[in-house]
Amino acid sequence: MSVNAFGARLAVFVALALVPALVAADVGILYEVWHTTAAQAMQQVAAMHGTQLTTERVIRSNGAQDLNDVYGPYNISSDIYNVEPALGFYCLYRARAGEPGLVPDCPNITQTATAHAKLLVDMGIDYVMVDVTNWPTNTTSTDISVIRPTEVLFEEWYKLRQQNISTPAIAVWPCSPAGSNTWQVLLDKLYNNASYASLVYQQNGKKVVAIPKNPNCYDEGVAAAIAANGGRNDVTTINLWALFGPADYEAGTWGFFSPCVSSTDGTSYTTSIVGEPACNQRPTLDPATGGITEISASGAYMVSQSALPFANPGHLRGLTVARLFERVLDLRPPHLFLSSFNEHIGGRQQPVSSSKIAFNMGLPNDSQRDVVWVDTYASEFSRDMEPTVEGGDTVYRVASACVALYKAGLNCTAAPTDLCCTRADKEVFANVWSLSHASGNVYDTVLTTNAAEVSALETDGWAENCSPISGPSVFCVDTSLTDGRNGPFILYNQQLPNTIPLYRCNEPQQTHHHISTDPNCDGDGAVESTLGFIAQQRGGETLRGLYRCKTPQGGYAHSLDLPCDTPDGPVLGYVR
Ligand SMILES: *[C@@H]1O[C@H](CO)[C@@H](O)[C@H](O)[C@H]1NC(C)=O
Ligand SMILES: *[C@@H]1O[C@H](CO)[C@@H](O)[C@H](O)[C@H]1NC(C)=O
Ligand SMILES: *[C@@H]1O[C@H](CO)[C@@H](O)[C@H](O)[C@H]1NC(C)=O
Ligand SMILES: *[C@@H]1O[C@H](CO)[C@@H](O)[C@H](O)[C@H]1NC(C)=O
Ligand SMILES: *[C@@H]1O[C@H](CO)[C@@H](O)[C@H](O)[C@H]1NC(C)=O
Ligand SMILES: *[C@@H]1O[C@H](CO)[C@@H](O)[C@H](O)[C@H]1NC(C)=O
Ligand SMILES: *[C@@H]1O[C@H](CO)[C@@H](O)[C@H](O)[C@H]1NC(C)=O
C-alpha cells in the first residue's frame, strides 16, 4: 500500500532536515464541489425576489428569522448554507458537451474556478483533494453532486494552465467499498485522460487517489484495483481518515483534521484552545520506520457536533489554526493536509446530548433548533478557510501565512511578527468557570476567569458547573447533566468594538454574588471583579445569550441561550 512507499523517502527528509530550503514539502487542502443543488436553490430564492438567508444570518437576526424562512416560503428543500462565500453561492455543474444537462448549468463557472485557483495558489496549496466521501456509486445524484463538477474543475484548470496561469493539482477521495464504482468513473474520465497527466496530483511518479479508511468506504480489493488502474499500475492510494485515536495515525492513515490533545492526560481530544498550553495534534507515522509522514491543520475542528457548545473550538480569530501550526512547524513532516477550503453546507443530526443547551447554538427558539449541524456551523465553528461574506478572510490570511512558513522552513522563533505567529490579535478570549455553593438556605453561583481561584473555591466547598457536552478540557464535562444553562462559557478579555463589561458583584453581607453590566451592581453590593467583555449583538464569535436568573433560595445563577426559570432582567449580552 501507499503508506509503505513513504518509507524510502523519509530517510531523505531526515537527512535534509538541517537544510530547510531543500526539504520538499507539499500541501493539500480538502476541497468541495458539492454545492450544485444548494447553490441553485439560492438562485431560485433570488429569482423569486426572496432574501438569501444563511444560518449565520438567521442567528444574527436574533429570533426575527427562522431557519424555515430560508427555503420554506419558496417550497424548496435543500441544504442551508452556513455562510455565503465571498464569491457568492457558486457551483461548478454544467452539462457535458453534446448532452442535455441533469440540472441547469451553474453561472460564472470560469470566474469561480479562476478565483479559486488564485486563492489557493496564493495560499501555497499544491493540490486540492476533492471530497467524494459520500458518493460510492455512480448514480445521477453522484453525477450532479461530484462527478460532473470535478470534471468541470479539471476542464477549467486545464484551460488556465494552457494560458500559463498556475493552478493547484487535483486528487480525488472517493468512498470505495466493495461493489463501488465512482472511483472507476473518476479514473476513466480524469486520471486516464492524457491531457490531465500533469494536473493530477502525484507522489513518486504515481497519480494519487485517497480512500477514506473507514468501514463504510474501504475495501482491500477495491484499493488494489484502484492502484492497478486497469493494468496501468500508475496510481498510488493514500488512506485518509485518521480520527479516532492513535492507532489510525500509527497505521499510516493520514489525518484530514486532527483535534488538539489535552495536556491533562496527553491523550484525550480537547476543544480548549484558550487555557491549554499547546495543541499537540497527532501526526501520521510511517508504520515501517516510525517516522512522521503527514500532519493536518484546520480552520477549526469538531469532536462531536459543531453546533453544540464546546464541541468545536471555532476559529478564534485564527488562533485555532495558528496553534495547530505550532505543531506543524515543529514537526515539519513532508506532507501537510489542510481542512478545509469550502464545505459551507453539511450534514445534520439529532443532538448527541439530551441536556437543555444541546441545540443549534444561538437559535434557542428556532423550529429547526434540534437538527444540529455536525461538521460546520455558522460562520465561526467551521473548518473552512475560504473567505466568506459573514466571516471575512481572517482564517484564510492566517493559514496562508502559516503555510508560507512551513514551505520556507521557518518557525515562529524566526518570524515572531508573522501573522501566523502573532498572538495579541488572537488571544482576546477568556474562559469563564461557573461554580456553585449551597450553604444552609443560600445557593450562590460565582463566575471566575482565574483558574487558580477555581481551585481555591473548590477547596472551600464550591462545585464546578460542568459542560454537558464533551469537548473542553479546561472545564469539567459531565454528559449526564440534563440542564447545562448555568455552565461555563467564553467571553472577551478586553474591550473590543460592540462589547460591554461584565462585572462580578458581591452584596454587602457576602452571601450571594451576581453578574451585571451595571458598574453600580444594580444597587446590590459592589464590583468584585470585571470578568471580561460580552458582545452586544448575537452572531459571529458569540452566539449564545447570557441571562441572570434568580434561584428559589434567594441567590443568583445564570442561563446560557435559554430563558431562566426565574428571570432577572433581559439578556445581558452574548458569549460563546
Ligand atoms: C426566545 O423566546 C423567549 C421566550 O420564550 C424570549 O424571551 C427570547 O427573547 C427568545 N429568543 C430569541 C433569540 O428569539
Ligand atoms: C408553495 O406551496 C403552497 C402549498 O402547495 C402554495 O400555496 C404556495 O403558493 C407555494 N409557493 C410558491 C412560492 O410556490
Ligand atoms: C455572476 O457574476 C456576475 C458578475 O460578476 C454577478 O453579478 C452575479 O451575481 C454572479 N452570479 C452568481 C450566481 O454568483
Ligand atoms: C480530455 O481532456 C481534454 C481537456 O479538457 C478534453 O478536451 C478531452 O475531451 C478529454 N478527453 C476525453 C476522452 O474525455
Ligand atoms: C506559456 O509558456 C510557455 C513556456 O514559457 C510558452 O512557450 C507559451 O507560449 C506560453 N503560452 C501562453 C498562452 O502564454
Ligand atoms: C456511470 O454512469 C453513466 C451514466 O449512467 C454510465 O454511462 C457509465 O458507464 C457509468 N460508469 C461506470 C464505471 O459505472
Ligand atoms: C525554530 O527553529 C529553530 C531553528 O531550526 C530552532 O532552533 C528552534 O528551536 C525552533 N523553535 C521552535 C519554537 O520550534
Side-chain angles (χ1 to χ4, degrees), residues 79-119:
D79 284 318
I80 294 173
Y81 274 89
N82 281 287
V83 281
E84 178 176 4
L87 294 176
F89 297 105
Y90 59 77
C91 54
L92 295 176
Y93 181 90
R94 76 172 162 237
R96 291 185 181 88
E99 287 184 15
L102 297 163
V103 294
D105 286 2
C106 297
N108 298 352
I109 284 176
T110 297
Q111 279 165 260
T112 303
T114 305
H116 276 183
K118 178 163 171 40
L119 280 166

Side-chain angles (χ1 to χ4, degrees), residues 59 61-65 362-366 538 547 561-563 571 574:
I59 292 169
S61 82
N62 199 24
Q65 280 157 330
L363 296 172
N365 304 335
D366 197 278
R538 192 193 290 274
Y547 297 89
D561 228 1
L562 290 171
V571 70
Y574 300 92

Side-chain angles (χ1 to χ4, degrees), residues 161-164:
R161 286 181 169 210
Q162 285 193 311
Q163 299 163 52
N164 289 341

Side-chain angles (χ1 to χ4, degrees), residues 181-199:
N181 58 358
T182 298
W183 60 270
Q184 183 69 64
V185 181
L186 296 168
L187 290 179
D188 290 348
K189 288 184 177 295
L190 303 170
Y191 282 46
N192 298 335
N193 181 333
S195 297
Y196 297 149
S198 66
L199 191 49

Side-chain angles (χ1 to χ4, degrees), residues 113-129:
T114 305
H116 276 183
K118 178 163 171 40
L119 280 166
L120 291 161
V121 167
D122 287 352
M123 195 179 180
I125 300 297
D126 297 294
Y127 65 97
V128 297
M129 181 66 75

Side-chain angles (χ1 to χ4, degrees), residues 46-306:
M48 287 187 258
H49 307 290
T51 304
Q52 292 176 316
L53 293 174
T54 61
T55 305
E56 179 68 23
R57 289 174 192 165
V58 172
I59 292 169
R60 289 184 188 184
S61 82
N62 199 24
Q65 280 157 330
D66 186 281
L67 289 172
N68 281 354
D69 296 334
V70 179
Y71 294 129
Y74 321 102
N75 294 344
I76 297 169
S77 170
S78 188
D79 284 318
I80 294 173
Y81 274 89
N82 281 287
V83 281
E84 178 176 4
L87 294 176
F89 297 105
Y90 59 77
C91 54
L92 295 176
Y93 181 90
R94 76 172 162 237
R96 291 185 181 88
E99 287 184 15
L102 297 163
V103 294
D105 286 2
C106 297
N108 298 352
I109 284 176
T110 297
Q111 279 165 260
T112 303
T114 305
H116 276 183
K118 178 163 171 40
L119 280 166
L120 291 161
V121 167
D122 287 352
M123 195 179 180
I125 300 297
D126 297 294
Y127 65 97
V128 297
M129 181 66 75
V130 177
D131 178 4
V132 195
T133 61
N134 294 313
W135 299 273
T137 47
N138 175 29
T139 63
T140 301
S141 136
T142 301
D143 200 27
I144 295 168
S145 300
V146 287
I147 294 175
R148 185 57 196 150
T150 306
E151 288 174 53
V152 170
L153 185 70
F154 270 87
E155 290 166 11
E156 292 293 326
W157 284 5
Y158 175 76
K159 279 193 285 179
L160 290 178
R161 286 181 169 210
Q162 285 193 311
Q163 299 163 52
N164 289 341
I165 296 170
S166 299
T167 81
I170 307 173
V172 294
W173 187 26
C175 179
S176 302
S180 59
N181 58 358
T182 298
W183 60 270
Q184 183 69 64
V185 181
L186 296 168
L187 290 179
D188 290 348
K189 288 184 177 295
L190 303 170
Y191 282 46
N192 298 335
N193 181 333
S195 297
Y196 297 149
S198 66
L199 191 49
V200 175
Y201 170 54
Q202 305 200 359
Q203 285 181 4
N204 299 330
K206 290 198 173 191
K207 297 167 186 167
V208 174
V209 171
I211 307 176
K213 184 74 165 65
N214 66 46
N216 298 324
C217 288
Y218 188 84
D219 175 79
E220 284 294 338
V222 174
I226 293 173
N229 190 15
R232 296 172 186 81
N233 296 309
D234 61 349
V235 171
T236 185
T237 61
I238 294 176
N239 295 336
L240 177 59
W241 196 275
L243 277 181
F244 305 109
D248 293 343
Y249 292 91
E250 287 162 10
T253 300
W254 283 27
F256 66 105
F257 70 90
S258 300
C260 297
V261 173
S262 163
S263 63
T264 312
D265 61 11
T267 306
S268 10
Y269 289 150
T270 181
T271 58
S272 295
I273 302 294
V274 180
E276 276 281 1
C279 174
N280 287 334
Q281 78 270 28
R282 294 198 171 98
T284 293
L285 308 182
D286 178 339
T289 66
I292 299 173
T293 53
E294 186 259 6
I295 195 163
S296 70
S298 47
Y301 55 84
M302 82 281 195
V303 302
S304 67
Q305 296 160 326
S306 290

Side-chain angles (χ1 to χ4, degrees), residues 352-388:
V352 289
S353 161
S354 55
S355 67
K356 284 187 178 166
I357 60 166
F359 53 83
N360 283 316
M361 278 185 283
L363 296 172
N365 304 335
D366 197 278
S367 35
Q368 298 184 28
R369 63 169 226 158
D370 293 326
V371 191
V372 301
W373 271 271
V374 180
D375 297 76
T376 181
Y377 183 60
S379 163
E380 173 71 5
F381 300 93
S382 135
R383 299 191 289 261
D384 289 341
M385 298 181 180
E386 180 177 30
T388 67

